[in-house]
Amino acid sequence: MTGHPTPEPDLGVLAAQVLFSVQRELFTALAEQGFDDIQPRAGAVLAHLRTDGIRPSALARASGQHMQVIGSLVDDLGRKPDPADRRAKLIHPTETWPPPDADRRLDHARHRGAPCEGTG
């Protein structure tokens, strides 16, 4: 013991701890439901993916991720020309990604009622 009091964590640190705890629980539940290939970093894409497509730059802005991160996350998704600008590409779901019942499984995982770490 050094004699110095341990500072209390600030709000940002506490919020990050809650986020990481919820992410661990959600992605553990997704893995239990057969989505063991979905990693937490994919949430940046999944949360903003639209059936009509979205440009990678818009996806980066909406998710707060760098374009390099978005580029690595969208490899499993389809790309097609943007009808408004043929130079641009739209990222859209494919037949295999996300899986057809992903919304149902994600909703089930979110609402399964299990306590977060440290609360139960």
Side-chain angles (χ1 to χ4, degrees):
M1 196 161 177
T2 62
H4 298 286
T6 304
E8 293 291 321
D10 67 12
L11 183 58
V13 171
L14 294 173
Q17 289 174 345
V18 169
L19 170 66
F20 296 143
S21 177
V22 170
Q23 275 187 333
R24 271 192 306 276
E25 182 179 331
L26 174 62
F27 287 95
T28 297
L30 285 170
E32 290 169 359
Q33 294 292 316
F35 292 97
D36 54 348
D37 59 336
I38 300 177
Q39 299 299 315
R41 66 188 204 118
V45 170
L46 295 175
H48 302 285
L49 191 60
R50 301 186 325 227
T51 57
D52 61 340
I54 184 170
R55 288 185 182 181
S57 58
L59 197 52
R61 277 192 305 278
S63 67
Q65 300 290 322
H66 292 281
M67 281 294 295
Q68 292 86 350
V69 173
I70 295 301
S72 69
L73 292 175
V74 299
D75 287 340
D76 291 334
L77 300 169
R79 299 169 197 234
K80 60 183 174 184
D82 184 341
D85 181 352
R86 294 188 322 192
R87 296 170 297 171
K89 299 291 183 199
L90 292 176
I91 306 303
H92 62 92
T94 65
E95 290 180 18
T96 58
W97 184 258
D101 61 348
D103 287 339
R104 180 188 60 78
R105 289 183 179 212
L106 185 58
D107 189 54
H108 172 75
R110 284 182 180 143
H111 295 76
R112 70 185 188 135
C116 293
E117 281 185 20
T119 64

